[in-house]
Amino acid sequence: MKINILLFWFGRMWGEGRTYQKVAEHLAEMPDVGQVVCMLSPNPVNADSYSWPVEMKKVGQKLTLLSQNTCVVPVSSRPYRVRRWLNRFVEEHALPVYLRLRGYRKDNTILWLFPPHPYLEELVRKIPHDTFVAHIVDNFTKLKEDKWLCENAEAQYPVVHRDADVIITGSELNHRIFSDGRNNCYLFENAVDEDFLGGPSSLPCTAGSSPRLGYVGTISQRTDVDLLEWLARKRPEWSFLLAGRQEISVADHAMLNLPNVRYKGIIPYQELPQFIRSLDVCLMPHRKTEYSRSMSPLKIYQYLASGRPIVSTDIEGLSRLKEHVCIGKTYQEFEKSIDHVLSKDTIELSRRRIEAAKKETWDMRVKDMFSVVEKCFLKKQLSTGPLSGQVKENPTD
């Protein structure tokens, strides 16, 4: 029997290489998986418009993106009550009906949730499934700047800890928190696509050229933009390139007015490997906060795969890879670390970083994840499902 997976994430972005996307893509490649439906957040629909109950996009042979529309018939004309009732009815039943048509049943379905999610308890109740997997990437109870994420995480994490059949965590801190009293909590950090793996090489910069220092990732509260501005002012001979989505506006900082700083915007995911390989030094200027302690930095694996030297602040999530990263605990140490790698890095060190990244691919990581989830699924099938009562003979007994 093939296992079907229904995966939920609270956002609507796809194509940026986020953890949930990589997990969904690689689960769909597992031979024991029948199909994967990745459910994104509902689409807002104009109240005066007609729309289909769900929108679908097939992104792989066994992977479909799905999102419900918030309104299927206009509610601005008569009969108002009937129209509102119809919208509520469709919202309640569209997804279960769609899943039944696709062959999803309680005995062949894994519900894979990335909490917090606005409908977590409703989904667990409404969607027939055999196994409930909760995947904690970042600990949003530590993200006080985002009220919605923080409050929902505080409410839902205890539910997850109580009800999930398998808990997957993305950092050592999260694993310590969620494994309390549980033997089904596992640590799987982030990983890298093989497309990011480069060949060992010396630094791109040559004598007389300006070294290119780059930061790739979401620019948020955890990004020490003040450190980047301090470096750019102190070392005008260095070029600083920033790329990624903005959760805080870089325009609010005078740094962008400096001649040696450029903001490249959001670089398409498929173009990121080449961009990172064009850098001389990859930077991780993260602030050391309770929230950053709960994270497994995705970019560290992308940086490693490029072979380029890496300079980071002293943050969590680097313990297994510290031999490949230069750490700067202060602004001055961060600057000295950049000077050091620019003058001392070698092709051999580049090769070692790439070899380390080869052991951290998404293909390997998701296979390991699915292995522990499948074991739980099969164990439940043996005890309560159609396989219950069947005893597997062991010829050595």
Side-chain angles (χ1 to χ4, degrees):
M1 178 181 64
K2 296 284 187 179
I3 300 171
N4 293 327
I5 297 175
L6 180 60
L7 186 148
F8 280 85
W9 187 62
F10 61 80
R12 296 181 62 224
M13 288 169 287
W14 184 268
E16 296 184 2
R18 290 169 176 265
T19 301
Y20 83 96
Q21 176 187 337
K22 296 291 108 182
V23 170
E25 288 175 346
H26 287 272
L27 283 173
E29 295 174 3
M30 301 290 105
D32 290 340
V33 171
Q35 52 192 323
V36 177
V37 169
C38 184
M39 189 80 181
L40 305 180
S41 63
N43 297 311
V45 176
N46 190 306
D48 295 326
S49 302
Y50 288 93
S51 64
W52 292 104
V54 296
E55 292 186 10
M56 295 167 284
K57 180 181 180 183
K58 200 166 181 63
V59 293
Q61 185 178 359
K62 298 194 296 183
L63 175 59
T64 303
L65 301 184
L66 192 71
S67 56
Q68 287 189 257
N69 288 319
T70 56
C71 182
V72 294
V73 296
V75 293
S76 56
S77 57
R78 295 179 178 178
Y80 304 114
R81 290 183 180 179
V82 173
R83 289 172 179 270
R84 286 195 292 268
W85 175 87
L86 182 59
N87 281 326
R88 289 195 300 270
F89 181 85
V90 171
E91 182 181 12
E92 175 74 16
H93 296 283
L95 180 58
V97 168
Y98 169 83
L99 293 173
R100 282 198 299 273
L101 292 174
R102 290 288 300 270
Y104 277 71
R105 306 184 309 272
K106 176 177 172 59
D107 66 334
N108 70 0
T109 298
I110 292 174
L111 182 60
W112 196 303
L113 275 164
F114 285 76
H117 194 282
Y119 313 117
L120 183 142
E121 294 187 64
E122 178 184 347
L123 293 172
V124 173
R125 171 185 58 81
K126 185 169 68 173
I127 303 298
H129 61 280
D130 179 90
T131 303
F132 171 26
V133 178
H135 196 144
I136 313 295
V137 180
D138 304 329
N139 192 327
F140 291 112
T141 64
K142 311 297 183 183
L143 187 60
K144 304 301 182 183
E145 297 85 3
D146 191 316
K147 185 177 179 182
W148 183 90
L149 280 173
C150 183
E151 290 182 351
N152 278 273
E154 289 174 344
Q156 292 180 10
Y157 285 171
V159 176
V160 163
H161 188 268
R162 183 192 68 213
D163 295 342
D165 297 300
V166 177
I167 300 175
I168 293 175
T169 58
S171 69
E172 292 180 1
L173 175 63
N174 288 343
H175 186 253
R176 288 196 299 271
I177 293 172
F178 285 90
S179 62
D180 182 31
R182 300 290 300 257
N183 59 5
N184 62 342
C185 182
Y186 301 88
L187 171 60
F188 291 106
E189 295 180 316
N190 276 317
V192 65
D193 274 328
E194 292 185 0
D195 291 345
F196 282 81
L197 294 170
S201 64
S202 56
L203 299 180
C205 71
T206 57
S209 66
S210 176
R212 290 162 54 93
L213 281 60
Y215 171 78
V216 177
T218 302
I219 301 170
S220 64
Q221 296 288 345
R222 65 173 175 161
T223 312
D224 195 342
V225 180
D226 294 332
L227 168 58
L228 293 174
E229 182 173 345
W230 180 85
L231 283 169
R233 291 185 183 279
K234 196 163 187 295
R235 302 300 292 265
E237 73 276 18
W238 292 347
S239 294
F240 292 83
L241 303 175
L242 283 66
R245 189 166 51 89
Q246 297 183 50
E247 288 184 0
I248 60 172
S249 175
V250 293
D252 294 339
H253 293 263
M255 177 178 61
L256 288 186
N257 297 324
L258 299 175
N260 59 335
V261 178
R262 285 186 62 196
Y263 172 59
K264 303 282 289 183
I266 299 175
I267 296 178
Y269 187 72
Q270 63 272 18
E271 297 176 16
L272 274 181
Q274 184 58 42
F275 174 75
I276 295 175
R277 287 196 286 269
S278 75
L279 302 172
D280 292 295
V281 183
C282 298
L283 304 180
M284 287 187 56
H286 287 181
R287 300 182 188 275
K288 197 167 185 176
T289 66
E290 281 298 304
Y291 178 54
S292 66
R293 285 183 62 214
S294 77
M295 305 175 76
S296 169
L298 182 61
K299 65 181 63 60
I300 186 66
Y301 303 101
Q302 297 171 348
Y303 287 171
L304 275 177
S306 74
R308 296 293 174 246
I310 305 164
V311 175
S312 174
T313 49
D314 187 20
I315 58 172
E316 303 288 334
L318 303 179
S319 56
R320 292 189 303 107
L321 305 168
K322 271 193 173 180
E323 65 178 290
H324 305 294
V325 182
C326 275
I327 305 293
K329 295 183 178 180
T330 65
Y331 283 17
Q332 291 74 18
E333 285 186 13
F334 200 91
E335 178 191 13
K336 288 179 182 178
S337 295
I338 296 172
D339 274 322
H340 173 79
V341 298
L342 283 172
S343 60
K344 302 295 184 182
D345 200 65
T346 64
I347 293 181
E348 174 58 20
L349 290 174
S350 177
R351 184 192 66 79
R352 292 179 190 175
R353 288 188 287 267
I354 294 170
E355 290 302 313
K358 288 179 180 178
K359 302 174 184 177
E360 310 285 347
T361 64
W362 276 118
D363 182 59
M364 298 169 65
R365 192 77 87 237
V366 176
K367 280 180 181 177
D368 290 341
M369 282 185 200
F370 183 67
S371 176
V372 300
V373 172
E374 187 178 32
K375 285 179 182 177
C376 176
F377 176 87
L378 293 175
K379 184 177 180 181
K380 292 189 69 178
Q381 288 284 300
L382 284 170
S383 61
T384 62
L387 302 179
S388 60
Q390 299 182 23
V391 179
K392 191 174 183 180
E393 295 184 1
N394 189 339
T396 62
D397 288 347

